[in-house]
Amino acid sequence: MKFTFSWLKDHLETDASLAEIVERLTAIGLEVEHVDDKAGLKPFVIAKVLTAVQHPDADRLRVLTVDTGDGTPPVQVVCGAPNARAGLIGAFAAPGTYVPGIDVTLSVGKIRGVESHGMMCSERELEISDEHNGIIDLPEDAPVGTSFAAYAHLDDPVIEINLTPNRPDATSVYGIARDLAASGLGRLIGGGIMPHAGEGLCPIKVTIEAPELCPGFALALVTGVKNGPSPKWLQQRLIAIGLRPISALVDITNYVTFDRGRPLHVFDAKKVAGNVVVRRAKDGETVLALDGREYTLTPEMCVIADDNGVESIAGIMGGEHSGCDENTTDVLIESALWDPITTARTGRALGIITDARYRFERGVDPEFMVPGIELATKLVLDFCGGTPSEIEVAGYTGHKPKVVTFPLSEVKRLTGIEVPKAEALRILTRLGFEPQGSGDTVKVKVPSWRPDVDGKADLVEEVMRIHGVDNILAQPLTSHDAVNGKILTTLQVRTRAAKRALAVRGMMEAVTWSFIPAKHAELFGGGQAALKLANPIAADMSDMRPSLLPGLIAAAQRNADKGIGDVALFEVSGTYEGNGADQQRRVAAGVRRGTAKLDGSGRSWAGNAGPVGVFDAKADAIAALEACGAPVDRLQIEPGGPAWYHPGRSGTIKLGPKTVLGTFGEFHPKTLDGLDASGPICGFEVFVDAVPEPKAKPTRTKPKLELSPFQAVKRDFAFVVDRTVEAGTLVRAALAADKKLVTGVSVFDVFEGAALGAAKKSIAIEVSIQPVEKTLTDEDFEALAKRIVENVNKQTGGVLRA
């Protein structure tokens, strides 16, 4: 929200300086982002050219004598402007002045042998406009010797504040002045609006077919107007806040929008056919808007229409057909109320951002609908003349104010500030609230311009920000005698641990978009309707990501396209299986490309390292799971993975037959083609939220690991199995023989030979046995060995090698 200092003073009678106002605005919650006080234009003065003669050594230059109005003799200036002449009055910059448009600090210099003591300036050199065909040419009555910035009203500072969405009342200069006055920085003025006396009823009637989208509509006709340029002061204010003056009628609507937060629209009455109807748009209906673009509408959108069709997109932008121009003689002024949610959705769907939409989607003051059209009508009569009709009002049934029960003790309880009861009530009254009652609990009527105030906490906030947030005393945090409990959740702890583990492995963290193209989502198991966005910000961000891998592969490819082909990237974030909160997963994923091995050098002891592959991805996945607390010694690796991996170079990590903890592998060529990526690339995904919680938690008196007083023993076994049997299957069979005594099984040899028979192999394992209750006898060991052999034989068909 931008406004000028003088504009603010139209509504705030105050002696406060610019610095004091800026400080107070931030203190009361209207944070000042920027102040442009045009201080750089102060050295420029109005000067008069006395003589202008041809430069003796340049056809396009003239030598001027310039009266600067300070009582000193005229100065000599060399000028190349085509309009430089004797008698011209313009803006002069003396030596030592910084000229912003050319980024130069002037000094006395010679131009083609003739000394020049300053320069006469163009508008572009002062950054007023892009005009540079000649120097500034002022009227004959311009006061020579005075400040040019003050004469041209360029010394009016522009203040820009950052508004939070809950403050629609502060989208107007009047609303900002009301807050400053409530804080004690002046007196609120200029709020009264006298109703005009209309001559006859408005001949154009209004019908509201969609009252849920339009709670009220006001319309007035002014005939016999002369639409021309708006007054200079109005144009200067609009230019100062970044708006382009168009014509008096259009400028009035922009002025009232910013001055009072009341968006309006004007129609050329002669271009309106029949009466006006407020309705839902028809499916596929189109309108050519004032920005020159044609928009296709849907029944979820609200429009203003006549017999010819749509004339305006309600609350957002008018149509080109009925817009006012220099030939307009009869003007319809519209002031309406529009549903905030519908306005926001329509603007977002059509991609239109306007000052009207900005205010309507936050909620405008319903009680100012009619006064707003009264104010606009008065300005039209003042600037353009004409004869007004009476105001046609449709649909509006009046505003029912909210009443909040407010215990005054809540101020102290919620903020820690001790605000006297009388002061709290005065603050609320100055802000427009109406406290009723005299006890410790009062009823407070909320003004129509504050739709954001719903409860007592909102009223406490109003008292606090006006009384002064700086009055809250700093308090040290209280220390506790006991150690604080766990702060981070298990998922947060695992996320941190996984990031650290992957970073240690030489991978760099990436942050990719949560939205991906539809074709990428389909490659990774997505594409269903539940993951599609109703209003994506771009065509290539249409789906919520079902996997982190598409974004990481795309990031790796972008690096490769820029000459960095060996990269290792990871991300720990969320993926989506649906639009419910329970259908979001926390995933750790990573990709390696080229020769980005663990050490990241791309080299090895044997020369250049080979390309990354499935085992690099497997090692990353296991490291991430181990960091998250997964029981790595009990994990099961099954060959194959989802369709986006290479079927022969991928795997699935499980904990038991049902719990899938992750997948890894090299990517399928079709997947890489669909992502416009090239390999070699491998990657992994582990599901952080699928890792089970540890069953036992260590305490000071009962540690998690209980040491056995008995000696551990290791025994070796060699089994002959079919060549197709996996070593992991045999290891799991041996572990299952006695889960209490067998604490570990590892493979130390695999042998194939003719002596074993065709399609056979030998797998040798080392079994760790840890007694916990007693020392095992020879009979105990024999019984355990028998169970191991029987279990392996039953599950793998293996027999003990002789």
Side-chain angles (χ1 to χ4, degrees), residues 420-438:
K421 171 186 173 182
E423 173 63 14
L425 296 178
R426 277 197 300 270
I427 289 173
L428 292 175
T429 302
R430 291 198 298 266
L431 287 171
F433 295 86
E434 298 181 25
Q436 300 168 351
S438 57

Side-chain angles (χ1 to χ4, degrees), residues 182-448:
S183 72
L185 207 61
R187 185 173 67 90
L188 187 65
I189 58 175
I193 299 174
M194 292 294 295
H196 71 271
E199 297 185 11
L201 299 175
C202 179
I204 298 176
K205 303 302 178 183
V206 180
T207 302
I208 301 178
E209 294 182 356
E212 70 279 7
L213 305 184
C214 178
F217 195 103
L219 194 68
L221 174 67
V222 183
T223 58
V225 301
K226 185 177 181 181
N227 189 22
S230 57
K232 193 69 175 177
W233 66 266
L234 179 52
Q235 293 187 39
Q236 288 170 342
R237 285 188 175 176
L238 296 180
I239 292 172
I241 62 175
L243 296 180
R244 179 174 61 90
I246 298 174
S247 66
L249 293 176
V250 177
D251 293 352
I252 286 169
T253 63
N254 288 330
Y255 174 75
V256 176
T257 296
F258 279 84
D259 187 67
R260 295 303 187 92
R262 162 34 69 180
L264 305 167
H265 185 62
V266 288
F267 301 87
D268 188 323
K270 292 185 177 179
K271 298 176 182 178
V272 175
N275 292 322
V276 171
V277 178
V278 178
R279 59 171 172 82
R280 291 181 179 272
K282 300 173 184 177
D283 195 18
E285 202 167 23
T286 61
V287 59
L288 180 63
L290 287 171
D291 60 359
R293 297 174 58 189
E294 186 173 85
Y295 295 95
T296 302
L297 310 177
T298 66
E300 290 76 29
M301 302 173 183
C302 186
V303 298
I304 303 173
D306 62 5
D307 292 348
N308 290 329
V310 177
E311 295 292 355
S312 175
I313 306 172
I316 296 177
M317 184 177 288
E320 178 74 25
H321 169 72
S322 58
C324 294
D325 53 32
E326 66 277 4
N327 299 316
T328 299
T329 57
D330 298 341
V331 60
L332 276 173
I333 307 172
E334 168 252 304
S335 175
L337 300 175
W338 306 109
D339 175 58
I341 295 177
T342 302
T343 303
R345 287 175 176 169
T346 301
R348 198 171 302 155
L350 299 178
I352 305 176
I353 300 175
T354 62
D355 294 317
R357 173 194 162 185
Y358 180 84
R359 287 159 176 80
F360 279 124
E361 67 185 6
R362 283 161 173 78
V364 300
D365 182 4
E367 290 291 89
F368 199 74
M369 180 182 73
V370 173
I373 203 170
E374 296 275 13
L375 176 60
T377 301
K378 179 181 182 302
L379 293 174
V380 170
L381 297 178
D382 291 344
F383 301 161
C384 307
T387 303
S389 71
E390 295 181 9
I391 298 174
E392 171 83 9
V393 179
Y396 187 60
T397 58
H399 173 70
K400 184 178 180 181
K402 290 179 283 188
V403 177
V404 178
T405 301
F406 183 38
L408 295 167
S409 59
E410 288 293 281
V411 177
K412 171 69 173 177
R413 187 181 73 84
L414 294 179
T415 68
I417 305 177
E418 192 71 60
V419 181
K421 171 186 173 182
E423 173 63 14
L425 296 178
R426 277 197 300 270
I427 289 173
L428 292 175
T429 302
R430 291 198 298 266
L431 287 171
F433 295 86
E434 298 181 25
Q436 300 168 351
S438 57
D440 293 333
T441 299
V442 297
K443 299 285 188 180
V444 178
K445 184 184 294 185
V446 180
S448 58

Side-chain angles (χ1 to χ4, degrees), residues 411-719:
V411 177
K412 171 69 173 177
R413 187 181 73 84
L414 294 179
T415 68
I417 305 177
E418 192 71 60
V419 181
K421 171 186 173 182
E423 173 63 14
L425 296 178
R426 277 197 300 270
I427 289 173
L428 292 175
T429 302
R430 291 198 298 266
L431 287 171
F433 295 86
E434 298 181 25
Q436 300 168 351
S438 57
D440 293 333
T441 299
V442 297
K443 299 285 188 180
V444 178
K445 184 184 294 185
V446 180
S448 58
W449 58 82
R450 292 302 301 271
D452 58 304
V453 175
D454 291 310
K456 57 186 180 182
D458 298 322
L459 297 176
V460 170
E461 181 183 357
E462 295 301 301
V463 173
M464 175 192 68
R465 69 183 183 88
I466 299 300
H467 181 73
V469 179
D470 52 346
N471 289 319
I472 300 177
L473 299 177
Q475 296 288 340
L477 292 174
T478 57
S479 60
H480 301 283
D481 295 334
V483 177
N484 288 333
K486 181 179 176 182
I487 297 175
L488 299 179
T489 65
T490 300
L491 207 56
Q492 290 172 327
V493 172
R494 289 177 178 174
T495 298
R496 288 187 174 187
K499 288 183 177 181
R500 289 171 181 164
L502 294 173
V504 165
R505 295 182 60 79
M507 306 184 81
M508 293 182 292
E509 184 175 6
V511 179
T512 63
W513 291 102
S514 297
F515 317 124
I516 60 175
K519 65 176 184 177
H520 292 183
E522 291 169 1
L523 288 173
F524 287 82
Q528 56 266 40
L531 292 179
K532 292 191 176 295
L533 299 176
N535 186 29
I537 60 176
D540 59 350
M541 292 185 176
S542 60
D543 288 49
M544 301 296 289
R545 62 185 177 193
S547 168
L548 299 180
L549 293 173
L552 290 172
I553 294 172
Q557 186 61 40
R558 284 194 295 270
N559 280 275
D561 293 341
K562 295 181 180 179
I564 308 172
D566 302 327
V567 292
L569 305 175
F570 79 89
E571 183 174 8
V572 184
S573 189
T575 62
Y576 306 89
E577 298 175 352
N579 54 18
D582 58 339
Q583 294 177 296
Q584 300 180 19
R585 303 206 68 175
R586 176 65 56 168
V587 177
V591 298
R592 291 183 184 270
R593 188 188 188 282
T595 60
K597 297 286 188 175
L598 177 58
D599 63 356
S601 66
R603 306 182 67 181
S604 71
W605 63 271
N608 290 333
V612 295
V614 59
F615 295 109
D616 298 300
K618 175 185 176 182
D620 292 333
I622 296 296
L625 286 171
E626 185 176 17
C628 293
V632 177
D633 58 329
R634 293 193 284 119
L635 296 180
Q636 303 171 17
I637 310 297
E638 292 185 357
W644 50 88
Y645 289 114
H646 192 293
R649 301 173 190 172
S650 59
T652 301
I653 305 173
K654 289 186 174 183
L655 185 62
K658 296 182 179 180
T659 304
V660 177
L661 295 185
T663 59
F664 62 89
E666 300 174 27
F667 293 103
H668 199 290
K670 290 184 178 179
T671 302
L672 297 181
D673 287 343
L675 297 173
D676 294 325
S678 58
I681 304 179
C682 68
F684 71 92
E685 276 189 306
V686 296
F687 308 117
V688 177
D689 51 6
V691 177
E693 293 274 2
K695 293 183 179 179
K697 296 183 179 179
T699 64
R700 184 177 299 177
T701 58
K702 185 180 179 182
K704 181 179 179 181
L705 179 62
E706 296 182 6
L707 299 177
S708 173
F710 304 105
Q711 175 96 24
V713 181
K714 293 184 179 179
R715 289 288 186 268
D716 295 342
F717 298 85
F719 293 95

